Amino acid sequence: MSLKHQMARKEIIDTGLLISHLSLVIGSWGNISVRIPNEDLVAITPSGVDYEKIKSENIPIIDLEGNLIDGDMVPSIELPLHLEIYNNRPDVLAIIHTHSTYCTAMAIARKPIPASSDDLIQIVGGNVRVSEYRLPGTLELGIEAVKALKDRNAVILANHGLIAVAKDLKEAIKITHVCEKSAHTMLLSQLIGGPIELSDEDCHYLRDFYVNQYGQR
Ligand SMILES: [Zn+2]
C-alpha cells in the first residue's frame, strides 16, 4: 500500500471520528470519501461499520468506474453517488454525506437552506438546494445530486440528508457543520418572522471574498 493510500485512509478515519464526536452522524450512517492525489482513485468508508471501529485496511480504494482496487471490506452503498459527483466535478476532492438532525429536517420538508448568513454563503456559494428524491444507493440519486449541486458545495438530498463537497476533508467538515448550524438557525428564525435572503450580488461578493481574500495569506 502506498503512502498516499495510507494517508487517505487515515484522513477518512480521523474525519469519521470527528463528525461522530460532533454528533453529525450516528452509528454507521453517512459516509466519507476522498480522492487520492494524482491517481484516478478514491478511498471511501466501508459499508455499515461504526466510525469508531473502522481500521485502515477496511477502507476500500476504488477506481472511478467503481472497481475495488484494495481493502478488505465492501464500500458504502452510496459509492455510485460519490463517483457521480467526482466524475462531474473535477474541483471536488472530498465528500461527506450525513443525516444530521437539522439538515434532515430540511430534507424531509424538501426546503432549501436560504442564503441568509455570511458563513453559509461564503463556504457553500449560496443557498443549499434540495435535489429530486431518488432511492438511496442508486446512480439516479447521484445524477439528481449533481444537478442540484451546480455552483454550490452542498446539497440536501430529499427525504434523506446532506452532501458536502470540497477541496479537502477539513473544508468538507466545515461545510457539513455550517450547513447544520444554518438549518438550525433557519428553523429558529421561523419563530420570529423567518429568514431574509441576501441578493445574488451580495452572495457573489461574499463567496468571492472568502475564496480570494479571507484568512491569512
Ligand atoms: Zn444517507
Side-chain angles (χ1 to χ4, degrees), residues 163-185:
I163 289 271
V165 305
K167 63 180 179 355
D168 56 37
L169 280 171
K170 272 205 179 93
E171 181 84 356
I173 294 167
K174 218 189 284 181
I175 294 170
T176 304
H177 213 182
V178 168
C179 285
E180 182 64 356
K181 190 215 80 171
S182 301
H184 190 175
T185 52

Side-chain angles (χ1 to χ4, degrees):
M1 186 177 45
S2 78
L3 185 62
K4 276 197 282 185
H5 294 197
Q6 240 170 310
M7 282 172 64
R9 284 169 154 168
K10 184 177 182 315
E11 271 185 72
I12 287 192
I13 290 173
D14 292 348
T15 303
L17 292 173
L18 183 58
I19 62 173
S20 191
H21 179 73
L22 291 169
S23 301
L24 293 166
V25 286
I26 299 170
S28 64
W29 278 281
N31 29 75
I32 303 162
S33 70
V34 66
R35 275 195 215 254
I36 294 171
N38 306 315
E39 293 180 26
D40 285 337
L41 298 173
V42 299
I44 186 164
T45 39
S47 181
V49 185
D50 285 1
Y51 291 96
E52 291 80 9
K53 293 183 179 154
I54 300 175
K55 295 190 178 66
S56 185
E57 63 272 19
N58 301 151
I59 295 176
I61 307 282
I62 308 277
D63 70 18
L64 292 177
E65 284 81 48
N67 303 301
L68 179 68
I69 304 299
D70 192 24
D72 61 13
M73 286 191 166
V74 296
S76 161
I77 65 149
E78 297 297 4
L79 176 66
L81 165 68
H82 287 245
L83 291 181
E84 188 63 14
I85 295 170
Y86 286 124
N87 284 322
N88 286 280
R89 286 277 299 259
D91 60 311
V92 172
L93 306 182
I95 299 174
I96 297 179
H97 165 53
T98 54
H99 301 170
S100 57
T101 306
Y102 293 100
C103 285
T104 305
M106 306 302 287
I108 62 178
R110 298 192 184 178
K111 292 277 193 296
I113 307 173
S116 303
S117 58
D118 290 3
D119 51 4
L120 181 78
I121 297 163
Q122 286 176 337
I123 204 162
V124 165
N127 67 345
V128 183
R129 305 184 193 102
V130 185
S131 64
E132 287 289 321
Y133 182 75
R134 295 292 183 270
L135 287 169
T138 60
L139 174 63
E140 289 69 27
L141 178 67
I143 292 170
E144 293 302 331
V146 166
K147 280 188 211 162
L149 255 179
K150 191 175 179 340
D151 304 323
R152 299 286 189 275
N153 294 323
V155 60
I156 291 168
L157 307 175
N159 302 83
H160 187 160
L162 181 80
I163 289 271
V165 305
K167 63 180 179 355
D168 56 37
L169 280 171
K170 272 205 179 93
E171 181 84 356
I173 294 167
K174 218 189 284 181
I175 294 170
T176 304
H177 213 182
V178 168
C179 285
E180 182 64 356
K181 190 215 80 171
S182 301
H184 190 175
T185 52
M186 143 75 189
L187 291 168
L188 289 175
S189 77
Q190 295 290 352
L191 300 171
I192 47 174
I196 307 293
E197 284 213 73
L198 296 183
S199 67
D200 288 349
E201 195 187 353
D202 286 340
C203 288
H204 183 77
Y205 174 84
L206 286 164
R207 176 65 184 159
D208 185 68
F209 173 80
Y210 180 75
V211 171
N212 296 310
Q213 294 178 56
Y214 182 71
Q216 306 296 321
R217 284 168 196 277

